[in-house]
Amino acid sequence: MDYLQKLNYHYRPKAGWVNDPNGLVYFDGYYHVFYQHAPDFEIPWQQPMHWGHARTKDFISWEELPVALFPDMPYDDKGCWSGTAIVKDGVLYLFYASINLPKGSERKAQTVSVAYSTDGISFKKYEKNPVIAHYPSDGGPDFRDPAVCCIDGIYYCVMASGNPESKTARLLLYKSENLFDWDYVGIMSEWENGKYAECPSFMSAGDKCLLTASVCPLDSAHYFSIMYGSFEGGKFTVEHTGEVDRGPDQYAGQVFTDHKGRNILISWIPGWKYKGYAEKDVGCMSVPRELTLVDGKVYGYPIEELRHLLKESDPALTRTDTGFIINREGRDPVVYNGEIKDLKILRDGYIMEVFVNGGEDIFSVLL
C-alpha cells in the first residue's frame, strides 16, 4: 500500500503530524477544520502541539491555512491541546486546552484558554488567559478538551476529566454569560471504572441535546459514545445512546452544527497506534457524517455533498454469507457479522469508510 499517495477527499496537511479534529465550525462562508498538529515532525511529541487549520466550501477541495495557534505563551508553552470553536457577534473564538509545566512540578497543568479572530485566519490570544485555571474537586489532573456551545442564551463549556479516587471518567459542566468568566456547575456525565473522558462535543439537536465523548476505561479499549437527551437546569439526562463508528482505525470524533442545522461528525483516522507507521504521517480527517436519531437509534452517514462518491463494492472488501471482511495490509482483517440491508463504501487511496444499513454502523479503516 502506498501511504505517501495523495488523498482526494480526506484532508491532511502537506507535511507534519496530525491528530484530533478541533474547532469544527462554519464561519464567513467556509467550513473551518482545526486539528492537533506538529508542523515540523511526522511523529508526535517532538514539539508541543499547535493548531493546524484548513477550510473548505464543499469538503472536497481544501485550502490549507497558516497555523492558527502556536504554544508561545507561558500558560501554553507545553502545547495547545484540543478544543472547540464558537461564533459570537461576528467573531470566531477558539477554546483550547492550554498546557504548561509549573515550576517545581513534575506534572503538566491543564487549563483552558481562548483566542479570537475577525477574519478566521489570524488569531489573537485573550490577554487574561487562562479563563479556567484549575480543575474542580470532582475532576482530576486529566482536565482538557473544552467543548463550548450556546443554549437558550447561556454559554456552556463541557470539560473532559476523570476522578482518580472514584475511578470514574467524567464530563464536567461550566457556564458563562460572556465566554470569559466561567462558573462551575457540576458533573454532567460519568462512567464507572474509567480513567478519564476525552474530546467531548455538546450542542442542541432539535428539541433535545447531543453530547459525545471518547471514554477511556481502566481495563479495556476506548470507545466513542454518542448521547441524545434532555438538558434542563444544567443537568443532562441520557435518553438514547450509540457508538456508530466501530473503527477500528479512528479516534477523537468531534461534532458541530453547521449553518444548515446539521449535526456533523468528523473523526481522526487512523488513531494513535499508527504514529510512526510510515515514512510520512498517514493521519487525516474522516469525511463529515451527519448524525441523526432514527427510531431511537443513532445513525451516521456522509453529508449530502459527498454521497456521489459512495460505491457498493471495493477490491479490499469481500462480502460473506454473514456479513463482510475488509483486508488490511499486514494486519488482521476487519470482520463484520450481521444483516446487511444496504452497504456503501467510500474509498480514497489507503483510507476506506464503510457505511452499513444507511449508517447504522460505520467502519473507518486504514488499509
Side-chain angles (χ1 to χ4, degrees), residues 252-286:
Q254 187 173 110
V255 184
F256 75 108
T257 304
D258 76 352
H259 61 299
K260 299 179 181 179
R262 301 178 296 186
N263 291 321
I264 297 174
L265 165 69
I266 296 178
S267 298
W268 165 42
I269 299 175
W272 284 110
K273 61 186 173 182
Y274 293 100
K275 61 182 185 294
Y277 182 75
E279 179 181 341
K280 175 177 166 51
D281 176 33
V282 299
C284 66
M285 300 294 106
S286 74

Side-chain angles (χ1 to χ4, degrees), residues 340-359:
I340 298 178
K341 301 175 184 177
D342 180 73
L343 187 69
K344 293 293 187 294
I345 301 165
L346 199 154
R347 172 71 181 272
D348 187 8
Y350 55 83
I351 299 295
M352 174 181 282
E353 294 177 71
V354 180
F355 301 88
V356 182
N357 299 336

Side-chain angles (χ1 to χ4, degrees), residues 201-216:
S201 302
F202 183 49
M203 66 211 64
S204 296
D207 59 350
K208 302 293 182 181
C209 283
L210 173 65
L211 177 66
T212 75
S214 293
V215 182
C216 299

Side-chain angles (χ1 to χ4, degrees), residues 33-94:
V33 174
F34 302 86
Y35 48 90
Q36 293 287 274
H37 187 38
D40 302 318
F41 295 89
E42 296 294 332
I43 55 176
W45 311 124
Q46 306 305 299
Q47 66 184 136
M49 284 293 182
H50 298 53
W51 271 39
H53 185 195
R55 66 183 182 182
T56 180
K57 287 183 177 289
D58 57 10
F59 286 103
I60 295 177
S61 299
W62 291 89
E63 178 186 3
E64 185 171 347
L65 295 171
V67 170
L69 294 180
F70 292 83
D72 56 5
M73 300 298 289
Y75 53 80
D76 64 13
D77 61 359
K78 299 303 179 184
C80 300
W81 289 9
S82 290
T84 51
I86 188 170
V87 178
K88 178 180 182 288
D89 299 328
V91 178
L92 176 58
Y93 293 88
L94 305 183

Side-chain angles (χ1 to χ4, degrees), residues 86-149:
I86 188 170
V87 178
K88 178 180 182 288
D89 299 328
V91 178
L92 176 58
Y93 293 88
L94 305 183
F95 283 80
Y96 66 100
S98 42
I99 311 300
N100 70 90
L101 185 64
K103 186 176 181 179
S105 175
E106 296 182 356
R107 186 174 184 120
K108 294 176 181 176
Q110 303 183 11
T111 62
V112 178
S113 294
V114 61
Y116 55 91
S117 172
T118 56
D119 63 6
I121 298 176
S122 300
F123 290 85
K124 181 179 180 180
K125 293 178 181 177
Y126 180 49
E127 60 273 14
K128 295 183 180 179
N129 278 336
V131 294
I132 301 178
H134 197 272
Y135 61 87
S137 59
D138 290 330
D142 292 297
F143 178 73
R144 51 184 175 266
D145 308 343
V148 177
C149 69

